[in-house]
Amino acid sequence: MIKWILFLCALSAAGCSSHLSSGSITPIANSSGLGLAEPITRGNVTLVPVVSLPERSSRQETESYVLLAEAMENGWVEVSEVSSSGQVELVLVRNLGAKPILLLAGDILLGGKQDRVVAKDTIVLPGQSAEVRVFCVERGRWGGNSVEFDAPAASAPAKVRSAAVLGGQMDVWDEVEQHNSSAELPGERSTSIREGLFGEKARARSRADLDPLMSQLSKRSDVVGALIVLDGKIISLELFGSPSLFREAIRPILTGVLAQAATSSAQTETTIGMDEYVAFVESVMSAPRSQRYAGPTSRGDGIDSQNVSGWETRVPGEADAQVNGFIRGSYTPKHHD
């Protein structure tokens, strides 16, 4: 519990240096500085902004990271198969730029011998290379003339991303198949997530709702996360170590969420009460953590309780004692129905 108090102090400190917009805030009990702003709804998608409350002294924000799509666009990164023959579960990332590159779990990589999805948040320092864990999201293809990848500014659809973070290769393939089936893709186009993510249904939903959702989120300068609700059910909580990192990361995540929303049979606004939102965030705060990974640039803590599963990425070493040690957390409810 002490580590959570330190972490949430960090979130609160990161946000209070910015001007806070007006609006009703519901504080989260025992969170040391988090609250929920008024929900934002577009069709069957609702976002509940998580904000840092202004009662802490100002601290420096989380270290500046470049996300993968921006690094790719500016020529600061190369992503390729690890060798000419390749390995399904690994890709090679070379940082050619001046800032650390943060790959987020769910980031889509197109090309190589088959399309992939990043399995866990990974930091690659300037001038360094790293083998990054991935899963295949293009069942059936292994070949082609190129070993290079492109990285569009899009995360995998919500259920595929969750499978990549919390499951294994078969879980990812199952979710890709189910998503593409719901998107009503022809059989010959249904093996890669690129079709379900960038197909007609997903693109139409993104054109209609992505910019309006981003515009609503941008009205507050203290947002460090969001509860994501689809068809009246919470599907994830996304938290980041600073408002600036949240603003950079949330757009590709929402692209994947809207792709998932486009395949829903409901397509109607279904809301739940603030009490349920608060209860889920509180369950995240109280869930036990266990270190699952420790590397030179980041460490990963797993979260598993009766009601929630998830993953947190932190600065390694003395991260638990540093206010800026938290980078990103992604949490998924366990629906008991």
Side-chain angles (χ1 to χ4, degrees):
M1 194 65 186
I2 292 175
K3 69 171 65 174
W4 262 106
I5 293 173
L6 291 170
F7 150 52
L8 293 169
C9 287
L11 291 183
S12 177
C16 71
S17 61
S18 301
H19 179 265
L20 302 183
S21 303
S22 61
S24 176
I25 299 295
T26 303
I28 302 296
N30 300 318
S31 73
S32 293
L34 287 185
L36 299 184
E38 289 297 316
I40 303 163
T41 297
R42 296 280 299 186
N44 60 340
V45 172
T46 293
L47 304 179
V48 187
V50 181
V51 302
S52 54
L53 303 180
E55 59 232 25
R56 304 289 175 186
S57 61
S58 178
R59 303 271 184 114
Q60 185 178 4
E61 280 200 350
T62 302
E63 181 178 0
S64 176
Y65 297 100
V66 177
L67 298 187
L68 182 59
E70 180 185 356
M72 186 72 71
E73 183 179 352
N74 288 281
W76 299 333
V77 67
E78 291 179 353
V79 184
S80 65
E81 301 287 0
V82 295
S83 66
S84 58
S85 57
Q87 288 182 244
V88 173
E89 73 278 10
L90 293 173
V91 297
L92 182 64
V93 178
R94 301 178 180 89
N95 186 344
L96 310 177
K99 292 183 178 181
I101 294 173
L102 175 59
L103 293 85
L104 297 176
D107 281 350
I108 291 294
L109 303 172
L110 301 180
K113 293 184 177 295
Q114 59 186 191
D115 297 341
R116 312 288 225 289
V117 60
V118 174
K120 293 289 187 294
D121 299 347
T122 306
I123 298 168
V124 185
L125 297 177
Q128 296 191 7
S129 299
E131 292 185 346
V132 175
R133 291 269 305 168
V134 294
F135 290 114
C136 167
V137 285
E138 187 181 10
R139 194 171 189 171
R141 179 175 78 92
W142 183 258
N145 296 324
S146 175
V147 295
E148 303 294 325
F149 290 90
D150 189 20
S155 185
K159 290 185 178 179
V160 177
R161 182 167 62 92
S162 180
V165 173
L166 302 172
Q169 181 62 76
M170 290 303 299
D171 301 302
V172 172
W173 274 340
D174 287 347
E175 292 299 344
V176 170
E177 182 179 357
Q178 290 183 34
H179 177 81
N180 285 354
S181 175
S182 298
E184 300 176 346
L185 298 173
E188 68 275 9
R189 295 173 51 205
S190 64
T191 60
S192 172
I193 198 57
R194 73 166 72 195
E195 301 296 347
L197 186 56
F198 304 111
E200 182 178 350
K201 277 189 173 183
R203 286 188 291 110
R205 185 63 189 271
S206 185
R207 284 194 302 267
D209 292 335
L210 182 57
D211 284 341
L213 287 171
M214 290 298 299
S215 176
Q216 288 294 312
L217 286 172
S218 69
K219 291 181 178 181
R220 297 196 64 98
S221 58
D222 53 350
V223 182
V224 292
L227 270 169
I228 299 174
V229 184
L230 177 60
D231 295 330
K233 286 187 176 181
I234 298 170
I235 60 171
S236 72
L237 168 64
E238 306 298 326
L239 283 178
F240 292 86
S242 69
S244 61
L245 187 54
F246 170 79
R247 288 191 293 270
E248 291 296 320
I250 193 61
R251 188 179 185 92
I253 290 174
L254 288 182
T255 299
V257 169
L258 291 171
Q260 190 81 47
T263 68
S264 167
S265 59
Q267 295 299 315
T268 57
E269 178 180 333
T270 305
T271 59
I272 56 182
M274 185 62 75
D275 287 349
E276 186 169 341
Y277 300 143
V278 170
F280 178 68
V281 178
E282 290 179 345
S283 72
V284 168
M285 301 302 156
S286 61
R289 271 105 178 127
S290 59
Q291 184 172 310
R292 305 284 179 85
Y293 167 81
T297 58
S298 65
R299 71 173 247 193
D301 292 348
I303 294 92
D304 191 18
S305 73
Q306 182 179 359
N307 297 316
V308 61
S309 297
W311 185 270
E312 292 172 352
T313 303
R314 298 175 179 272
V315 175
E318 301 299 322
D320 287 347
Q322 297 173 354
V323 295
N324 291 325
F326 181 86
I327 299 172
R328 187 261 184 113
S330 182
Y331 317 91
T332 302
K334 294 178 179 178
H335 293 295
H336 303 289
D337 53 18

